[in-house]
Amino acid sequence: MADKPGLTRLTTTGSGSGECGQNDCPNVYATDRGSFVVQGDVFDGFAPPAGEGLVEIPESVLREAVRVLGW
């Protein structure tokens, strides 16, 4: 998923982390609305409410997003 208008990637491509296949790395994006979009493997631990979805990403990806935001 390349950066799209209104989205800023907060994480790298994961190169060297062993987390990536073919450009399908888990990522965290900030939106221009002050929210976040998470890209990762679909998590099927339970069914979310209609219209919602769950993804599973490594802790390292969230830590990197927090670092980029300076939190």
Side-chain angles (χ1 to χ4, degrees):
M1 177 179 209
D3 283 3
K4 304 284 186 195
L7 289 180
T8 301
R9 183 183 287 191
L10 300 177
T11 50
T12 64
T13 60
S15 178
S17 70
E19 313 260 349
C20 297
Q22 295 181 325
N23 201 25
D24 61 351
C25 306
N27 283 294
V28 177
Y29 297 85
T31 72
D32 57 2
R33 297 186 308 259
S35 61
F36 298 94
V37 174
V38 179
Q39 171 192 358
D41 294 331
V42 173
F43 179 78
D44 60 4
F46 68 94
E52 296 182 6
L54 303 169
V55 296
E56 184 174 7
I57 63 169
E59 179 182 338
S60 61
V61 173
L62 288 179
R63 287 184 179 277
E64 183 176 354
V66 168
R67 181 191 60 78
V68 167
L69 289 169
W71 293 353

